[in-house]
Amino acid sequence: DGDGGGGGGGGTCPLERRTASDGYGGLVFGVPLRDACKGRRNLLPIVVEDAVEYLIDFALDEEGLLRMSGSHATIQKLRKNYDNQNEVEFANDPHTVAGLLKLFFRELPEPLVPTALNDAVIDEVGACKDKALDEAATGAVLARFLRERMRAELPAAHYEVVRFLTYFMLRLAEHASANKMTESNILVCFTPTLRCAPAIFLYGMRSFDYVYGDGADG
């Protein structure tokens, strides 16, 4: 449900069994987001929902999550199972699950956030710096900007995925004392894969309820 339990007990994660044939049809990786979401009621690609829910439920305390590499062979096996609509198993390696999530976005053939909107966010950050606004004022400006522009300009599936990922990053940052993944570390390790301005997620995390409304499920 995206608001699951705490963060992994001592770095171990129970075996999770997912049935990937439920709720979608066709390829998941390397296709436009709208195609990866076909048949999905919540507009989240099944691999994104599965991976994020698993990581929230079992791995928030895992040191270096999103930074450390998982098993390349296992990631490719999981990718094939999703694309072939086979049963999917997540074993006790959260870094591999995180790697699978990153692979999905690395292979996305379109920007998660359209270039014009991404550039507009960067320009807004620059305008705040030019005005010498402090961090609180900058946060207020960017939160308002994201609330208005993301809702208006992002395609529905893209909006839900950005919202869901922002919530995941927020939960991960809350456990930074254990996982060593501060806001800054998360952005450095994840936003290059997402090909998005870090400010989209930084100020989305800091004002999540205001920007995206109550709740986190897609």
Side-chain angles (χ1 to χ4, degrees), residues 18-25 39-41 46 49-50 85-86:
R18 308 280 184 175
T19 303
S21 59
D22 179 28
Y24 78 100
R40 301 284 293 156
R41 290 172 297 177
I46 190 168
E49 182 175 32
D50 282 356
Q85 302 181 49
N86 295 330

Side-chain angles (χ1 to χ4, degrees), residues 73-213:
T74 304
I75 289 170
Q76 292 302 321
K77 180 180 178 181
L78 289 167
R79 178 192 191 278
K80 184 176 180 180
N81 283 341
Y82 272 105
D83 276 343
N84 292 334
Q85 302 181 49
N86 295 330
E87 186 178 81
V88 175
E89 295 181 7
F90 289 166
N92 63 341
D93 183 0
H95 298 293
T96 292
V97 178
L100 180 72
L101 180 67
K102 294 173 80 170
L103 178 65
F104 174 85
F105 290 104
R106 193 176 299 119
E107 295 195 353
L108 199 64
E110 61 191 351
L112 179 58
V113 175
T115 302
L117 180 54
N118 196 64
D119 289 347
V121 173
I122 294 171
D123 290 344
E124 194 70 15
V125 173
C128 289
K129 289 182 179 178
D130 291 343
K131 296 174 184 176
L133 298 184
D134 62 20
E135 188 58 40
T138 297
V141 169
L142 267 296
R144 185 166 56 250
F145 180 92
L146 292 174
R147 178 182 173 90
E148 294 172 357
R149 298 288 294 272
M150 301 292 276
R151 291 172 184 267
E153 298 179 33
L154 279 183
H158 292 244
Y159 178 85
E160 290 301 328
V161 169
V162 171
R163 178 175 177 258
F164 196 56
L165 290 178
T166 303
Y167 176 72
F168 166 53
M169 294 183 201
L170 172 62
R171 292 297 306 276
L172 190 61
E174 289 173 345
H175 289 248
S177 61
N179 60 40
K180 313 303 182 188
M181 296 301 291
T182 60
E183 288 178 341
S184 176
N185 288 341
I186 292 168
L187 297 174
V188 166
C189 292
F190 205 12
T191 54
T193 300
L194 300 174
R195 291 168 285 172
C196 294
I200 291 172
F201 295 98
L202 176 62
Y203 296 104
M205 282 191 280
R206 290 181 176 178
S207 301
F208 184 83
D209 287 341
Y210 173 73
V211 174
Y212 294 108

Side-chain angles (χ1 to χ4, degrees), residues 42-60:
N42 59 11
L43 296 180
L44 295 173
I46 190 168
V47 64
V48 174
E49 182 175 32
D50 282 356
V52 169
E53 288 193 348
Y54 176 91
L55 295 172
I56 287 176
D57 286 346
F58 303 119
L60 290 180

